[in-house]
Amino acid sequence: MNATQIARYLARELSEDEAQTLLRWVEESPDNKRLFIQIKNAWSMASMDKVDATDVEYTRQRWQLVKRQLDQQTIRPLETTPWRWLRVAAAVLLVTGLAFLAYFNQNRLQPEISYQIVETPAGKRSRIVLPDQSVVWLNARSKLRYPTRFDSRKREVKLEGEAFFEVQSSPDKPFFVQTDRTTVRVTGTAFNVYAYPSESEQRVILVRGQVAVSHAGSRHFSILKPGFSATVRKTSDPIVIQAVDATEHTGWTTGKLEFKHLAFEDIARRLERTFNIHIIFSNPKYRQETFSGSFDENEPLEEILQVIQASSDFEYSIRKDTLLIR
């Protein structure tokens, strides 16, 4: 146990278990308790002095205040305390000083980080330039949350829905995309993430570069190569890696609706987001019928349905914002 841990405790940065461990250590010996009380008193008294927390000299000023309080606490005992306690007091002062200096250097107040949230409605897509100049295309009914500036260690964004990323290369500052079930780690690359929370599968499709994919919160990553996808289902299920046609999954960035041997219910979800319509299957047998096609998003919905209908026997009707497949 050291003075840095005590400083973190006083700053309320220890977990409950860490705090309990520290308090048990304090009770183990009079010396431990004396050190704890000495640092606590110095902390309390120094915090009452006025220090400009926005000044670059903040760390030095705060330590000088703590040192001054420790000096004041040790002046009186010097007259009567045995010489061995002089050495203890000097050691406490030195160790505490170094600990506080390191602690406040690491935790010097930074400008507060604010976040930007972009939400794209049905039938629309957005182009976003991140603080590091990476570019994100956000698909319909999707949401992206990102900081107005990235910290010095990593770049991280949170996604609900679908987005295509072109990430600026920075090997020393990895880029993370977080969804409710998936973590994608990259350094510089282009890839698509499909992660609508209401759907059972989330997919990452790599166009170029390299990415690592894992279940959210896991440290076990699967590496993707260009032209491959990673499908994430439940946390207990393994991540499925397979070869894909990337253009089929990224055509939406240029206004294309492309699908190859895709189930009608999956096509329906894409049509819902593109045309802002609710699709109901009154006859469930059509849900798993597969279709292939390539359409422009500006084509009328009924023309797309008529092309799909040419290879099936389903009927449909449209009433206001609802499409019924029967």
Side-chain angles (χ1 to χ4, degrees):
M1 199 63 60
N2 56 41
T4 302
Q5 287 293 90
I6 297 175
R8 292 186 61 211
Y9 172 82
L10 296 172
R12 298 182 180 180
E13 292 187 356
L14 292 184
S15 67
E16 185 175 345
D17 289 342
E18 290 173 329
Q20 291 300 321
T21 299
L22 174 66
L23 294 177
R24 286 195 296 270
W25 174 84
V26 169
E27 297 299 326
E28 285 178 358
S29 74
D31 288 348
N32 293 354
K33 182 174 290 188
R34 185 178 296 106
L35 174 61
F36 177 81
I37 293 173
Q38 197 167 22
I39 294 175
K40 182 179 179 181
N41 289 342
W43 175 283
S44 299
M45 297 181 72
S47 65
M48 295 171 63
D49 289 89
K50 293 182 179 180
V51 176
D52 182 2
T54 63
D55 196 291
V56 295
E57 292 294 313
Y58 173 74
T59 300
R60 185 187 62 80
Q61 292 179 45
R62 184 63 183 271
W63 165 238
Q64 290 300 321
L65 291 172
V66 173
K67 181 176 180 296
R68 188 184 312 143
Q69 300 304 331
L70 288 171
D71 286 341
Q72 292 172 358
Q73 292 176 37
T74 56
I75 286 175
R76 183 174 297 175
L78 290 181
E79 299 173 357
T80 57
T81 303
W83 283 104
R84 65 187 184 90
W85 287 111
L86 292 179
R87 292 193 296 271
V88 172
V92 166
L93 192 61
L94 177 61
V95 172
T96 306
L98 293 174
F100 270 95
L101 189 59
Y103 177 78
F104 284 111
N105 267 327
Q106 294 172 2
N107 295 275
R108 185 181 300 166
L109 294 181
Q110 298 288 340
E112 184 178 353
I113 297 177
S114 58
Y115 289 86
Q116 184 77 23
I117 297 177
V118 179
E119 295 189 64
T120 307
K124 303 291 183 180
R125 62 179 183 274
S126 303
R127 181 180 183 272
I128 305 161
V129 180
L130 299 178
D132 66 341
Q133 300 306 302
S134 295
V135 176
V136 182
W137 283 99
L138 193 63
N139 205 356
R141 290 184 180 172
S142 299
K143 179 167 69 174
L144 186 74
R145 180 178 184 268
Y146 63 93
T148 53
R149 64 176 179 83
F150 291 118
D151 67 29
S152 59
R153 296 167 299 171
K154 65 179 180 179
R155 300 166 288 171
E156 184 172 281
V157 302
K158 293 186 178 181
L159 172 68
E160 292 181 14
E162 184 171 23
F164 181 79
F165 295 84
E166 292 183 300
V167 176
Q168 291 289 328
S169 179
S170 182
D172 297 330
K173 196 173 182 179
F175 188 100
F176 291 87
V177 180
Q178 302 284 1
T179 77
D180 63 329
R181 272 178 279 162
T182 307
T183 297
V184 184
R185 183 183 66 198
V186 306
T187 52
T189 185
F191 59 99
N192 194 82
V193 180
Y194 183 92
Y196 287 93
S198 61
E199 298 193 19
S200 61
E201 294 184 348
Q202 298 188 355
R203 291 187 299 276
V204 180
I205 297 93
L206 182 60
V207 176
R208 62 178 181 272
Q210 180 175 287
V211 302
V213 182
S214 76
H215 291 287
S218 173
R219 295 183 179 180
H220 301 288
F221 285 85
S222 299
I223 305 299
L224 275 188
K225 295 181 179 180
F228 282 79
S229 73
T231 301
V232 180
R233 297 185 178 91
K234 297 179 180 179
T235 304
S236 58
D237 294 341
I239 294 175
V240 178
I241 308 294
Q242 59 186 1
V244 294
D245 180 1
T247 59
E248 178 185 342
H249 299 275
T250 60
W252 65 267
T253 62
T254 57
K256 296 291 185 181
L257 284 171
E258 299 191 32
F259 36 87
K260 185 181 297 181
H261 305 300
L262 193 64
F264 199 1
E265 65 177 349
D266 293 325
I267 295 173
R269 293 193 190 101
R270 297 190 184 186
L271 295 177
E272 284 180 328
R273 289 190 288 268
T274 302
F275 294 97
N276 193 23
I277 194 168
H278 181 52
I279 299 178
I280 299 174
F281 287 87
S282 64
N283 190 335
K285 79 171 187 176
Y286 295 115
R287 287 179 175 273
Q288 296 306 315
E289 283 195 5
T290 59
F291 300 93
S292 299
S294 178
F295 304 93
D296 190 284
E297 65 179 15
N298 293 322
E299 292 184 47
L301 174 59
E302 290 204 50
E303 289 186 12
I304 295 175
L305 289 171
Q306 288 167 7
V307 172
I308 297 174
Q309 194 180 38
S311 57
S312 180
D313 61 350
F314 71 86
E315 299 289 335
Y316 71 88
S317 59
I318 300 176
R319 179 175 296 180
K320 294 184 178 180
D321 59 353
T322 300
L323 168 63
L324 181 65
I325 305 293
R326 61 184 191 278

